[in-house]
Amino acid sequence: MKEKHDYTVKTYFDTTDEEHKLRENEDFFANKYDIYDGENHFFEERRKIEDGKKVYICGFCKHRLKICGGHGVKKQTLHFRHYKGENKGCIYEDENGPTKEEVLCIKYNGAKESKRHEDYKNFIAEKLLAMTTPKLSEDKVLVEKIYRDKSVPREWRKPDVLAMFPDKTIAFELQLSTTFLSVIAARETFYQKQQIFILWIFDSFSAESEQQLFAQKDILVSNVYNVFVLDEEAMERSKQENTIYLKCYYVDFYIRNGKIVDDKMISQLVSLSDLTFREEDYKIFYIDAIEKRRQLEIELRKMQKAECFMEKINDIYSFWSEATLISGLETLDIAPIYLKIKDKLDEIIEDGSTTSIRNGILLTRLLIQSSLLDSDECFHPELKRYHDKLKEIALDQRIDKILFLLEEESPKVYYEIDLLDDEKAQDLLKIRIQGLIDKIQKSDYYPHKKNIAIARSILKIGNLYLSNDNWERLNAIIIQENERVEQEKTAKYEAIIDDFIVNGTIEKFIIYYHRLDLSTQQEITKVLLNRYKRLFFHPVERDASTLYFYLNLLKNSYVWFDIRLVFGNNESSLLSFTNLEHEKDSRQTFFTEVVYCLFKAGYDLSIVEEEAIIIRLKELYEMIKKGNPQIIKNEVLKYSLLLYYLRIQKKNQDFNIMLLHYKLLHDHWTFVSRIASVLMNFIIDCDLPNMAAIADNVKSFHLNYSHLFILAAESENGRKNLYKGKKGNDNLMKLKEAMITNPKYQRKEDLDKLIPILFPNVDAFKVLE
């Protein structure tokens, strides 16, 4: 455990710090801000300060600081101190003590005066001269000779030994005592300027950091973490080989707990030929520990990036962002974490959730596309297999989801199907839908209506996923089901209607009808429509008893449907209905009511129907002339009525006026039929025996419209009729007298405009226009 040191200077600024934060000295010397966790880090900083490459300033007075160390118990304690004279007014330190020059004089010069120092440099010179390759002459090996700067002669140094080899010059500097960093730095700078390699040599050195002197540490750090020692073993080997052998100690950097540490040194006996002489900075070393540390820094940063990336993909259930993964992959070395990535992909496949599979596809795609794999082609095939497997799982999941949505009749299914943008996915869906259709046909779903709902959902997705056979199969299922449902509904509502016919009244049925919701009302209306179609066109015996129930229902405005639907678009429908005889409708009341409802609903007679009506009436007139057969009485009535509706339509009046005329024709049809009988010389719509009876009938029941009857009777066709009864009375004259004498007579003119429309060829009616 390191002792707690009470630092004199408490805070500092690093002028190269971009954030320019005020920091704590205690944190600095704990090496908190760097991945390099080694004490020698501070000696690198000392050298940078000395070279002017780094400046630390006091957090209080803003004056420069240097790194110093005092002796603790079995170790040195590092701390900041002000430069001499630059601490005035600072609360942190009151500077005292000897000057740098005084210390240098005492220590450095004292060391050079020792006999041991003399023996060492003579030994080195002797072994240099003893070398055979290359062979150096005595004038190439200088001991304690002054060497001046070639460009600045006043600057000089006196190396312990200077050896001038054919390809380089080496200054051997012995360090048998402590030396200020400034001395070391100054000498290295001088020799570099002269293009001379400097080789610092110690007589002893400890691999234990706490036993190393400051000067040894300064040289160690300065010389790419290599120091050279001429100890007894090196001397002995030098003597044996007649050359210079040195023991090289170099720092073996390694990574521990996520940081680079330097607490291990390795020693190796080396000769000059084993060393590297680097001309760019004139350094001599056996192992470039700085380069190794740099490689470790790269490796450590790769490890940190890898750990960071693995943290990003740790949670397979979270949604991985493509942008985040791409940024994490930049400059990432994939090889060290490839096995971890494989484990993560295996975990994703085993989990199989939608989100995790999506994440796996994203990760493998980005890895395959990344330039990181350019040098690792062996990864490509395996990652491609993972990618294909994940996409296969994802596709199965998408198809499962589509089938689920189909079974749930969800409208989202069409959106999901639109997302299937490749042929493989579409083919797979087609196969799976085939299987679903097979299940439907086997009625694997319960209740039965579920099968039909799924069948409808499948049909809505279109022909792309259905063969013609499947399409027909589904349609057949749906048609069959629709028919079954329709039959059930029809049977249900027919039973309800029949119950009201037998046990109720129209009024009760109306009340029931209006209590229903709109959908049910529509269903009952549909049943009624079918009933009317049968009643109109295919009546059976039992319908005779219900004829007037349906007739009254048809006329009731509270249960309305478009009666035109009964007749449809078939131009022969109305004519077919006209030609059909209904039991218990001898006076054709049912027919007249149906026709009125039909035209009131807006029915328009076609040209085909118009021609058919006119042709048939001509045929009937011919039959009348030949024998006055009563068998055609009803048919003449019905076709005449259709002709009158036709004439109203052809008048091209406003629809509201047309409706008014329809109503007048309907409400006064009995009287209009009397006029028609007079003009045709043929009685229709009643059982009266002759025209005299008709005239009497008008006097008794239609007196207010007698002016119209008289006009008809006095027309060309009307004069052909006999109006005298069995007693010889002229009933037409009696009608005229009643118009004068009967107090009940009040002339009504609401039919005056209609009669000329119904009988346009009668001149007698033109006075009404």
Side-chain angles (χ1 to χ4, degrees):
M1 292 286 292
K2 290 186 178 181
E3 290 183 345
K4 176 74 174 178
H5 180 70
D6 186 15
Y7 295 99
T8 304
V9 179
K10 304 294 186 184
T11 60
Y12 73 96
F13 287 101
D14 180 355
T15 60
T16 62
D17 185 354
E18 291 182 359
E19 298 179 357
H20 200 64
K21 287 185 177 180
L22 181 67
R23 299 185 183 275
E24 297 289 335
N25 284 6
E26 185 174 344
D27 289 339
F28 175 84
F29 288 104
N31 207 7
K32 182 177 179 180
Y33 305 114
D34 203 278
I35 63 171
Y36 171 27
D37 189 15
E39 189 173 306
N40 290 324
H41 164 73
F42 306 108
F43 290 90
E44 290 186 17
E45 296 303 292
R46 276 167 54 82
R47 181 56 186 263
K48 290 176 183 176
I49 293 170
E50 190 68 29
D51 291 344
K53 296 178 181 177
K54 202 73 175 282
V55 178
Y56 292 97
I57 58 176
C58 177
F60 179 76
C61 66
K62 306 299 187 295
H63 283 106
R64 295 180 304 142
L65 298 174
K66 56 186 176 180
I67 297 175
C68 299
H71 286 284
V73 179
K74 295 185 180 181
K75 59 181 177 285
Q76 297 167 319
T77 303
L78 299 169
H79 61 277
F80 276 129
R81 180 177 293 175
H82 292 84
Y83 282 86
K84 185 69 173 180
E86 294 187 8
N87 63 333
K88 293 181 179 179
C90 182
I91 62 173
Y92 285 148
E93 182 179 337
D94 183 16
E95 183 79 3
N96 289 307
T99 65
K100 173 180 173 181
E101 289 76 17
E102 290 171 334
V103 174
L104 176 63
C105 182
I106 294 171
K107 290 188 175 181
Y108 192 72
N109 287 340
K112 279 187 172 288
E113 293 174 356
S114 68
K115 181 179 184 304
R116 191 160 173 239
H117 186 274
E118 187 74 19
D119 291 341
Y120 266 78
K121 64 185 178 183
N122 288 334
F123 180 83
I124 291 172
E126 177 186 337
K127 295 307 169 190
L128 287 171
L129 291 171
M131 293 172 55
T132 58
T133 306
K135 183 63 177 175
L136 299 178
S137 59
E138 291 186 1
D139 61 334
K140 300 298 182 180
V141 180
L142 306 178
V143 179
E144 290 285 349
K145 299 294 183 181
I146 294 175
Y147 186 91
R148 297 185 181 278
D149 189 320
K150 297 176 182 177
S151 58
V152 186
R154 291 183 178 179
E155 293 187 12
W156 56 272
R157 290 293 183 272
K158 187 166 67 174
D160 291 322
V161 179
L162 186 69
M164 293 175 280
F165 290 87
D167 57 345
K168 56 184 171 287
T169 301
I170 304 174
F172 294 84
E173 288 284 3
L174 295 169
Q175 281 298 308
L176 307 185
S177 184
T178 59
T179 302
F180 278 124
L181 175 61
S182 58
V183 174
I184 297 171
R187 287 188 170 243
E188 288 186 350
T189 301
F190 175 83
Y191 287 125
Q192 285 175 3
K193 186 178 177 182
Q194 308 307 313
Q195 297 182 346
I196 295 175
F197 293 93
I198 182 171
L199 185 60
W200 296 96
I201 299 177
F202 296 100
D203 60 341
S204 64
F205 186 81
S206 173
E208 299 297 326
S209 176
E210 293 184 352
Q211 297 180 18
Q212 295 166 4
L213 302 177
F214 253 54
Q216 291 175 325
K217 287 185 176 294
D218 284 332
I219 290 174
L220 173 70
V221 171
S222 172
N223 203 57
V224 293
Y225 290 88
N226 283 233
V227 294
F228 297 98
V229 181
L230 187 59
D231 59 7
E232 291 184 3
E233 183 181 2
M235 286 184 170
E236 186 62 31
R237 183 68 177 275
S238 299
K239 292 175 183 178
Q240 294 173 1
E241 303 291 339
N242 279 325
T243 187
I244 297 293
Y245 266 89
L246 300 169
K247 183 173 288 185
C248 176
Y249 287 83
Y250 59 90
V251 174
D252 184 26
F253 289 100
Y254 65 97
I255 296 173
R256 181 178 63 198
N257 298 328
K259 288 196 172 184
I260 299 173
V261 294
D262 62 356
D263 57 2
K264 184 169 66 174
M265 294 197 74
I266 297 176
S267 63
Q268 177 69 39
L269 204 61
V270 296
S271 68
L272 291 180
S273 60
D274 295 326
L275 304 180
T276 297
F277 294 83
R278 191 167 62 195
E279 293 186 354
E280 63 181 72
D281 55 1
Y282 288 91
K283 299 289 185 182
I284 305 174
F285 54 86
Y286 174 60
I287 295 295
D288 189 346
I290 296 293
E291 176 59 23
K292 181 179 179 181
R293 188 180 71 185
R294 190 183 71 81
Q295 293 298 327
L296 289 176
E297 289 172 353
I298 294 173
E299 180 183 344
L300 182 58
R301 287 188 174 88
K302 286 182 179 179
M303 291 170 57
Q304 292 171 340
K305 287 180 180 178
E307 291 174 1
C308 179
F309 183 75
M310 291 307 298
E311 288 178 4
K312 290 179 180 179
I313 64 172
N314 180 55
D315 185 4
I316 64 173
Y317 303 105
S318 65
F319 192 84
W320 296 353
S321 163
E322 180 170 346
T324 303
L325 292 188
I326 288 176
S327 64
L329 285 171
E330 292 175 354
T331 69
L332 179 66
D333 185 3
I334 196 70
I337 59 169
Y338 182 68
L339 291 179
K340 292 183 178 179
I341 289 176
K342 279 184 57 180
D343 290 342
K344 187 60 65 177
L345 292 174
D346 289 335
E347 179 185 350
I348 287 171
I349 291 173
E350 183 177 356
D351 173 70
S353 66
T354 302
T355 301
S356 64
I357 294 298
R358 178 261 175 204
N359 290 337
I361 292 172
L362 174 64
L363 175 60
T364 51
R365 175 174 63 81
L366 293 178
L367 286 173
I368 292 169
Q369 294 174 349
S370 173
S371 59
L372 299 176
L373 298 182
D374 289 348
S375 59
D376 297 298
E377 292 294 335
C378 60
F379 297 152
H380 270 281
E382 191 167 31
L383 284 172
K384 184 66 169 58
R385 286 193 295 272
Y386 272 110
H387 185 70
D388 292 344
K389 177 65 175 178
L390 290 164
K391 287 192 69 177
E392 183 180 337
I393 295 173
L395 179 57
D396 283 338
Q397 290 177 343
R398 288 181 66 188
I399 299 302
D400 287 342
K401 181 179 181 181
I402 288 172
L403 292 178
F404 172 78
L405 293 174
L406 276 173
E407 294 177 30
E408 294 300 311
E409 307 165 59
S410 171
K412 293 181 180 179
V413 68
Y414 311 114
Y415 169 77
E416 292 293 335
I417 290 175
D418 286 341
L419 295 180
L420 297 178
D421 54 359
D422 61 80
E423 189 174 340
K424 179 180 179 182
Q426 294 169 352
D427 289 343
L428 180 58
L429 178 59
K430 191 171 184 178
I431 294 171
R432 298 288 294 277
I433 287 177
Q434 171 69 51
L436 185 56
I437 293 172
D438 293 340
K439 289 181 68 177
I440 292 172
Q441 286 202 307
K442 294 176 182 176
S443 299
D444 284 357
Y445 292 94
Y446 184 83
H448 180 67
K449 63 182 181 180
K450 184 70 174 177
N451 290 304
I452 307 305
I454 297 172
R456 288 195 176 101
S457 294
I458 295 173
L459 281 176
K460 289 178 182 178
I461 66 178
N463 291 333
L464 179 62
Y465 302 100
L466 294 173
S467 65
N468 291 335
D469 178 58
N470 285 334
W471 184 270
E472 291 174 0
R473 289 165 64 192
L474 290 177
N475 271 308
I477 292 172
I478 292 173
I479 290 171
Q480 183 180 2
E481 175 64 11
N482 289 343
E483 290 175 351
R484 185 188 67 80
V485 171
E486 201 61 34
Q487 289 171 0
E488 287 182 355
K489 286 182 180 178
T490 300
K492 172 184 175 182
Y493 294 123
E494 281 189 342
I496 291 173
I497 293 170
D498 289 340
D499 185 61
F500 276 103
I501 291 173
V502 175
N503 301 315
T505 63
I506 289 180
E507 289 72 19
K508 289 182 179 180
F509 177 76
I510 298 299
I511 293 171
Y512 164 77
Y513 179 85
H514 281 280
R515 287 176 178 173
L516 301 173
D517 59 80
L518 179 61
S519 176
T520 308
Q521 285 181 354
Q522 290 173 344
E523 292 295 335
I524 287 186
T525 301
K526 190 188 301 182
V527 172
L528 286 173
L529 192 63
N530 291 330
R531 282 286 181 98
Y532 278 115
K533 285 182 179 179
R534 190 187 72 194
L535 193 64
F536 290 173
F537 301 107
H538 307 287
V540 295
E541 185 177 351
R542 66 184 179 88
D543 289 332
S545 61
T546 62
L547 186 68
Y548 288 97
F549 177 89
Y550 288 107
L551 178 60
N552 290 329
L553 190 61
L554 187 65
K555 292 161 59 176
N556 193 296
S557 60
Y558 291 100
V559 179
W560 181 90
F561 61 90
D562 195 342
I563 191 175
R564 290 174 295 180
L565 297 174
V566 179
F567 293 88
N569 297 322
N570 189 343
E571 293 177 330
S572 64
S573 295
L574 178 56
L575 299 178
S576 297
F577 173 67
T578 304
N579 294 328
L580 190 66
E581 290 293 337
H582 289 82
E583 294 184 19
K584 297 185 180 181
D585 189 33
S586 60
R587 299 186 65 184
Q588 304 305 307
T589 304
F590 179 71
F591 174 80
T592 57
E593 292 294 343
V594 170
V595 169
Y596 172 62
C597 291
L598 177 62
F599 281 92
K600 185 173 64 171
Y603 188 86
D604 286 322
L605 287 164
S606 68
I607 294 175
V608 174
E609 289 172 318
E610 177 184 344
E611 292 175 349
I613 291 169
I614 293 171
I615 291 172
R616 184 56 181 162
L617 279 172
K618 287 180 179 179
E619 293 173 349
L620 292 172
Y621 290 158
E622 290 298 323
M623 294 172 68
I624 292 171
K625 291 178 183 178
K626 291 179 180 179
N628 191 22
Q630 288 296 313
I631 193 171
I632 63 170
K633 176 182 174 182
N634 289 338
E635 192 174 358
V636 173
L637 180 148
K638 290 189 283 188
Y639 272 97
S640 296
L641 182 61
L642 293 180
L643 177 65
Y644 301 149
Y645 277 105
L646 172 63
R647 285 174 174 172
I648 292 173
Q649 281 188 357
K650 290 181 73 66
K651 192 63 179 177
N652 294 323
Q653 297 165 321
D654 178 83
F655 184 69
N656 290 326
I657 296 175
M658 192 182 299
L659 287 178
L660 176 61
H661 288 168
Y662 286 160
K663 183 169 179 13
L664 288 171
L665 176 61
H666 171 264
D667 293 347
H668 298 284
W669 170 241
T670 301
F671 174 72
V672 171
S673 69
R674 304 293 185 260
I675 298 291
S677 297
V678 169
L679 295 174
M680 277 189 260
N681 312 121
F682 178 74
I683 298 174
I684 64 172
D685 193 36
C686 66
D687 297 326
L688 296 174
N690 51 47
M691 295 298 173
I694 289 180
D696 186 60
N697 180 268
V698 170
K699 179 171 68 79
S700 300
F701 300 102
H702 308 286
L703 181 61
N704 294 332
Y705 294 101
S706 57
H707 65 286
L708 296 174
F709 185 82
I710 290 170
L711 287 173
E714 293 179 347
S715 69
E716 182 180 354
N717 275 1
R719 289 195 294 270
K720 297 177 182 180
N721 300 314
L722 295 175
Y723 299 99
K724 291 182 179 182
K726 293 180 180 180
K727 297 180 179 181
N729 297 323
D730 189 342
N731 288 342
L732 184 61
M733 291 302 296
K734 286 185 177 182
L735 177 62
K736 290 180 179 180
E737 290 174 1
M739 291 173 61
I740 299 172
T741 60
N742 192 331
K744 293 182 179 180
Y745 174 71
Q746 289 182 346
R747 176 170 172 163
K748 287 189 176 180
E749 298 180 347
D750 53 336
L751 291 178
D752 287 7
K753 298 295 181 182
L754 176 63
I755 293 299
I757 295 174
L758 301 182
F759 305 100
N761 299 322
V762 179
D763 293 337
F765 293 145
K766 290 182 180 179
V767 297
L768 301 173
E769 295 179 351

